[in-house]
Amino acid sequence: MLQLPDSPSCMKKLASVEDSYELCRQITAKYAKTFYPGTLLMKEAKRRRAMWAIYAWCRRTDELVDGPAAAITTLETLDRWEQHLESVFAGHPLEDYDVALVDALRNFPLEIQPFRDMIAGQRMDLCWSRYKTFEELHLYCYRVAGTVGLMSTAVMGVDTTRDTAAWNQDKEPYIPTDEAIALGIASQLTNILRDVGEDARRGRIYIPLEDLAKFNYTEQDLFNGVVDDRWRELVRFQIRRTREIYARAEKGISYLAPSARLPVWSASILYSQILDRIERNQYDVFRQRAYVPNLQKLCSLPTALLRAQVL
């Protein structure tokens, strides 16, 4: 269970920087089956470890609402977690996992606002179980996942040699902020489609209610796990929209630092393949969990490598 300490870190001895990064690596490897392999493709250990530190913080944040202690989480709990965050950004770790994130903050230009926005997304999860429109869902997806794109870009860096023409020498390097956010949003929309059944069992519906109405599919149909022509057309619509967002996101990968392109292409390809699996499962996300087998993940690496080199 995640504990929110009320006392300063001086009250107990915290993990070393190396041990803290190892804790972050372990939690990333355990829970991020698609994200973690991408981090292993990062050449620089400093960047790879910073990504683990970020993921560990995001996971701990998510567990406040979706983890074992979710039943006792309140808005006040999230307020305390934001105070915890402020302490970390001030260079004062309170828990073993925080030590790695404090170190990452020293090494990379991470800003606190995306972290705050993610906590705001958890507040939405605590208070909302339905989203009327795609605009509402889009805001939620930005907060819980688009923010990860912003955090990651700060660690991965951008290509400062892309525009070498003389007339471009005074220009600042393009930072693909919108594309980074889009990749996070597309990944979250993919997760939502994959986890429809699991979320329904918790009384949650993330597919916009306006979309359900558009295809004459009811909330009760969803709770009953009905897979018929209405449902298949509804999911096809969701998949098309999600793939369009992936396409927008991928246009920004070439602006990242060269060493970052392979892991980002890998993550994008692997996440989008979950959509392929949903299609192969005949859109039944209630009784079959869509996942990408390890062999397929390995077979996707040459495609990711080629795109990283030529696009």
Side-chain angles (χ1 to χ4, degrees):
M1 180 184 299
L2 178 61
Q3 300 293 324
L4 298 181
D6 295 318
S7 56
S9 59
C10 61
M11 298 292 289
K12 70 171 186 174
K13 182 177 177 61
L14 297 179
S16 67
V17 172
E18 291 300 318
D19 287 347
S20 180
Y21 274 122
E22 175 58 18
L23 288 172
C24 294
R25 186 200 67 78
Q26 290 175 8
I27 197 173
T28 307
K30 181 177 181 179
Y31 294 105
K33 300 301 184 183
T34 301
F35 176 77
Y36 179 67
T39 66
L40 297 179
L41 298 173
M42 302 183 75
K43 295 180 180 179
E44 298 179 50
K46 183 169 68 172
R47 298 183 191 277
R48 181 168 60 247
R49 300 199 309 173
M51 294 302 298
W52 296 338
I54 289 171
Y55 177 84
W57 183 87
C58 294
R59 177 73 190 186
R60 295 164 71 211
T61 302
D62 181 70
E63 284 199 345
L64 288 172
V65 175
D66 285 334
I72 61 172
T73 294
T74 65
L75 291 174
E76 289 71 24
T77 306
L78 295 176
D79 290 341
R80 292 198 303 275
W81 185 240
E82 190 160 357
Q83 293 169 7
H84 186 136
L85 172 69
E86 291 166 357
S87 178
V88 171
F89 266 78
H92 305 300
L94 301 176
E95 290 286 292
D96 288 340
Y97 288 103
D98 299 337
V99 175
L101 184 55
V102 168
D103 187 68
L105 292 173
R106 295 191 186 107
N107 293 323
F108 300 101
L110 287 156
E111 297 182 359
I112 195 171
Q113 192 57 48
F115 293 81
R116 290 189 193 278
D117 288 344
M118 178 170 283
I119 296 173
Q122 303 309 313
R123 292 191 179 98
M124 293 176 73
D125 248 339
L126 198 61
C127 300
W128 296 18
S129 62
R130 306 285 191 280
Y131 292 87
K132 294 180 180 178
T133 66
F134 181 68
E135 287 70 26
E136 290 180 352
L137 180 64
H138 190 275
L139 174 61
Y140 168 76
C141 289
Y142 159 71
R143 287 177 171 173
V144 301
T147 50
V148 180
L150 295 178
M151 300 170 194
S152 302
T153 301
V155 170
M156 293 178 177
V158 297
D159 187 356
T160 59
T161 65
R162 182 181 172 89
D163 296 317
T164 56
W167 53 84
N168 285 324
Q169 294 304 301
D170 294 332
K171 288 185 178 180
E172 292 292 327
Y174 178 74
I175 301 177
T177 300
D178 291 341
E179 294 88 346
I181 292 172
L183 183 55
I185 289 173
S187 300
Q188 184 63 23
L189 291 173
T190 301
N191 289 340
I192 285 171
L193 290 174
R194 181 195 62 196
D195 297 337
V196 166
E198 179 182 332
D199 291 329
R201 287 189 287 274
R202 296 185 296 167
R204 294 183 181 178
I205 298 176
Y206 287 97
I207 294 177
L209 299 184
E210 65 178 5
D211 292 348
L212 266 65
K214 180 177 180 179
F215 292 92
N216 196 31
Y217 191 88
T218 68
E219 292 185 34
Q220 195 57 51
D221 289 330
L222 190 147
F223 288 133
N224 291 337
V226 175
V227 177
D228 57 12
D229 288 344
R230 294 171 303 155
W231 173 253
R232 284 185 280 270
E233 286 301 315
L234 170 60
V235 178
R236 287 189 189 104
F237 174 76
Q238 305 298 320
I239 288 176
R240 282 197 301 272
R241 179 161 58 194
T242 303
R243 282 179 172 147
E244 288 172 1
I245 299 174
Y246 274 119
R248 293 203 301 270
E250 289 170 353
K251 292 177 182 178
I253 298 177
S254 62
Y255 290 94
L256 294 173
S259 62
R261 295 172 194 165
L262 175 57
V264 175
W265 268 117
S266 176
S268 179
I269 290 170
L270 292 180
Y271 262 103
S272 62
Q273 285 178 348
I274 294 174
L275 300 177
D276 300 336
R277 284 281 158 174
I278 292 173
E279 292 172 331
R280 288 184 61 178
N281 292 343
Q282 299 300 307
Y283 308 99
D284 187 353
V285 292
F286 301 103
R287 285 159 285 273
Q288 300 181 74
R289 181 177 176 84
Y291 71 96
V292 181
N294 289 333
L295 179 59
Q296 185 176 343
K297 290 178 181 179
L298 289 173
C299 291
S300 299
L301 284 177
T303 300
L305 180 60
L306 180 62
R307 292 184 183 183
Q309 291 175 338
V310 305
L311 295 182

